[in-house]
Amino acid sequence: MRLDRALAQWLPGELGRDLSKSAIRRLVMAGAVLLDGRPVRRPGLPLQAGHRLEARIDLARTFPGPGVVEGGPAIEILYEDAWLLAVAKPAGLLVHATADRRRPDLFTLLRDALSARSGGRPVSEPYLGLHHRLDVDTSGVMLFTIDPTANASLARAFADHQVEKVYRALVARSAVVLPDTWIERTPLALAGAGRRARMRAAAGGLTAETAFTIRQRLGAALLIEARPAGGRKHQIRAHLAIGGLPILGDTRYGGAETIAGAPVGRVMLHAWALRLRHPVTGTPLEIGCPYPDDFRGLLTALGRSLDTPHASR
């Protein structure tokens, strides 16, 4: 039997968690596996009867669980297993690199953090797959693949709208009496260019649908939960603006920059949770992201009692 196959049969039971082929290969290449007391770095090495295997694994380093990615803005790890990595994207941070290399981006920070974690020992750059995006001013949960075997299933889940995306937004309270729940179904098309570009209701646009729920009425503001079906550009922002409820701080769509005397420093939109079936194991997975400090501070100023999402499987 090959070394990597023997490890695949043995280690998951000892560690109490699944291990992907690439994770096992990383452990071997890092020298964490000993054969008869000596490090072996050949995953495909054939084993013989009587060989003794040892695996020296620092669980906190190999499977860190909740923590912080260093080397840039503080990025909290919300969930990690052998195939997936979910983090809390800070507001103001780009998701991926642009032509301006001076601007930090989440993808590069995470890839560098994965490389630093491995000590640079793997033979290739650590893998990181991007499957969805958030606007630069939007905070909240983002999910990546760290093993290519999860890519096809996760990409299909996003394409087929099998990933439930839950957002929270703060808006100024309207004089119009609103129901607790409603659905906005509007054809949207992009108008303008650059920083002035915005999505507008247009007869020739592609129809987008978002379900809204008022989570709490806060005097001068509303805390609204949004569940978009699909992922058109600025979909939630545009749908709320069309309904006369532009998000606080979203000046592009008419959002106020102050509320009840408190300043609003950015678009108050937060990716609260993702719900899906694990692309490899098939188990239900819910990954939640607590409010960042600015969102929490504004809620507190408005008198909101805070609730907290969670990650579960």
Side-chain angles (χ1 to χ4, degrees):
M1 183 183 292
R2 287 167 49 115
L3 173 62
D4 51 3
R5 291 188 61 190
L7 293 172
Q9 292 184 17
W10 170 45
L11 286 178
E14 294 294 326
L15 297 173
R17 61 183 302 154
D18 294 328
L19 281 176
S20 66
K21 291 180 181 179
S22 62
I24 290 172
R25 179 179 177 83
R26 288 196 297 269
L27 288 170
V28 175
M29 297 303 296
V33 177
L34 281 64
L35 179 66
D36 292 336
R38 302 182 65 178
V40 56
R41 289 184 168 86
R42 289 177 53 196
L45 179 72
L47 299 178
Q48 303 294 328
H51 277 165
R52 178 179 177 82
L53 286 178
E54 294 177 69
R56 298 182 176 178
I57 300 174
D58 181 346
L59 293 177
R61 179 180 177 189
T62 308
F63 310 112
V68 174
V69 172
E70 298 180 353
I75 301 170
E76 181 185 0
I77 297 172
L78 302 171
Y79 176 85
E80 184 176 5
D81 62 22
W83 303 277
L84 303 176
L85 174 67
V87 300
K89 174 193 170 297
L93 182 65
L94 293 165
V95 168
H96 53 78
T98 64
D100 185 356
R101 297 296 180 180
R102 294 170 299 177
R103 298 186 67 184
D105 67 277
L106 179 62
F107 185 88
T108 301
L109 288 172
L110 289 179
R111 191 176 58 190
D112 290 348
L114 291 173
S115 180
R117 178 193 294 179
S118 67
R121 286 186 287 269
V123 294
S124 61
E125 190 174 74
Y127 181 81
L128 191 64
L130 177 64
H131 290 269
H132 67 122
R133 290 171 171 81
L134 295 176
D135 293 338
V136 62
D137 262 354
T138 302
S139 57
V141 60
M142 280 209 63
L143 182 63
F144 298 84
T145 51
I146 54 176
D147 188 310
T149 58
N151 275 341
S153 294
L154 187 60
R156 188 162 53 249
F158 273 106
D160 294 344
H161 311 313
Q162 295 174 355
V163 179
E164 183 181 12
K165 294 175 281 187
V166 183
Y167 292 78
R168 297 282 177 90
L170 277 169
V171 306
R173 194 161 187 171
S174 170
V176 177
V177 177
L178 295 168
D180 289 337
T181 63
W182 75 97
I183 294 176
E184 184 72 45
R185 189 181 293 107
T186 311
L188 297 177
L190 188 64
R195 294 187 178 182
R196 295 185 177 182
R198 55 183 293 176
M199 300 297 285
R200 297 181 184 273
L206 296 176
T207 299
E209 178 181 306
T210 309
F212 293 103
T213 301
I214 297 178
R215 301 296 301 187
Q216 189 163 357
R217 301 173 191 266
L218 299 165
L222 298 173
L223 175 64
I224 292 179
E225 184 167 284
R227 299 169 186 260
R232 298 296 312 281
K233 181 182 178 70
H234 295 180
Q235 178 172 326
I236 296 171
R237 297 165 64 183
H239 273 167
L240 284 171
I242 289 168
L245 296 167
I247 299 173
L248 292 175
D250 193 358
T251 55
R252 184 180 303 200
Y253 288 90
E257 296 182 85
T258 61
I259 184 76
V264 181
R266 55 104 171 177
V267 179
M268 286 292 118
L269 181 62
H270 177 69
W272 173 256
L274 289 175
R275 300 184 181 115
L276 65 153
R277 286 201 169 271
H278 194 288
V280 177
T281 67
T283 57
L285 181 63
E286 177 177 348
I287 305 169
C289 182
Y291 298 124
D293 290 343
D294 59 352
F295 204 103
R296 185 185 299 111
L298 191 53
L299 279 170
T300 301
L302 293 166
R304 164 67 170 165
S305 58
L306 301 179
D307 49 0
T308 304
H310 62 283
S312 64
R313 59 181 303 184

